[in-house]
Amino acid sequence: MHLPEAHKRWSGNAFVAGLLLLFLASLLRLGGFEEAFLAWDQSYLISDAIETARLHPPLAGIKSSVGVYQTAVISYLAALPWILVPRVIAIKWFFSVLDLIAVAVLYRAVRGVFGYRAAVFSTLLYVTNPWVVEFVRWIWYQALTTTWATLAFSFLLMVVSRKQRKGLYLALGLVSATFMGTVHIAGL
């Protein structure tokens, strides 16, 4: 089956636009780590990640600004890269790569429901959002809130747009929403 030339051009443009957005997101998220903030909250999280990697996981995180203890989920996630490369930069890269996955899933989901232009515009807004760019570089309890929120929204949007694998997208959306709520009290 042959596609009309105009459709082929739009498909090619959509693919190139998606790659360019991922490239821009990579530059913004994987660069400038020397500028990333590191203080008490971050050192506490790194300490918990190290203890988790040593198979002594904490049962709770630090107290939030409203006096409620955070969950230790972010410590468990931070332990994954620490096991492979026991350096702080590995955790920062891991958080950034998780957000790059969110960028790709967002683009695919919006493109499937609203089309190429909406996907480019919405993904560009997320990719260049200064708050997201700055805080996804941090090793911080709140760092992955936007990442998990974007993944949850995107996977749940895919449930609407896809005819196949709705169960998979629903499960991924609900898992992402759960992580969003357990990573930080603000996400809940």
Side-chain angles (χ1 to χ4, degrees):
M1 182 171 152
H2 296 291
L3 297 172
E5 283 302 314
H7 185 69
K8 286 182 185 177
R9 188 176 71 241
W10 280 105
S11 290
N13 289 344
F15 180 75
V16 170
L19 286 179
L20 288 173
L21 286 166
L22 270 176
F23 180 70
L24 177 61
S26 298
L27 287 176
L28 293 172
R29 283 152 177 76
L30 299 174
F33 282 157
E34 69 279 358
E35 301 164 6
F37 184 69
L38 196 60
W40 186 85
D41 282 1
Q42 291 74 25
S43 62
Y44 192 89
L45 182 55
I46 293 167
S47 174
D48 279 352
I50 292 168
E51 287 303 310
T52 300
R54 292 180 181 160
L55 302 178
H56 298 102
L59 298 178
I62 64 171
K63 237 183 208 183
S64 72
S65 57
V66 295
V68 178
Y69 280 97
Q70 308 286 1
T71 67
V73 168
I74 195 77
S75 303
Y76 305 156
L77 288 172
L80 295 174
W82 187 268
I83 291 168
L84 298 174
V85 180
R87 295 186 61 191
V88 172
I89 195 151
I91 298 171
K92 290 182 178 191
W93 271 70
F94 180 69
F95 286 2
S96 294
V97 168
L98 283 175
D99 199 62
L100 288 173
I101 292 168
V103 167
V105 173
L106 173 67
Y107 181 77
R108 182 171 182 230
V110 174
R111 187 175 145 218
V113 174
F114 299 108
Y116 161 74
R117 289 182 182 159
V120 169
F121 184 70
S122 62
T123 306
L124 186 62
L125 286 175
Y126 183 74
V127 163
T128 59
N129 182 309
W131 190 90
V132 175
V133 170
E134 175 66 19
F135 292 117
V136 80
R137 293 179 185 172
W138 291 22
I139 297 171
W140 192 38
Y141 279 88
Q142 294 89 325
L144 294 177
T145 305
T146 56
T147 300
W148 291 114
T150 301
L151 284 168
F153 166 78
S154 300
F155 284 127
L156 293 174
L157 190 59
M158 285 183 181
V159 170
V160 174
S161 70
R162 309 277 183 220
K163 292 186 191 267
Q164 298 175 342
R165 299 189 207 152
K166 284 188 179 200
L168 173 66
Y169 295 131
L170 180 61
L172 290 171
L174 293 175
V175 166
S176 298
T178 301
F179 271 110
M180 177 184 66
T182 56
V183 161
H184 190 266
I185 191 95
L188 185 59

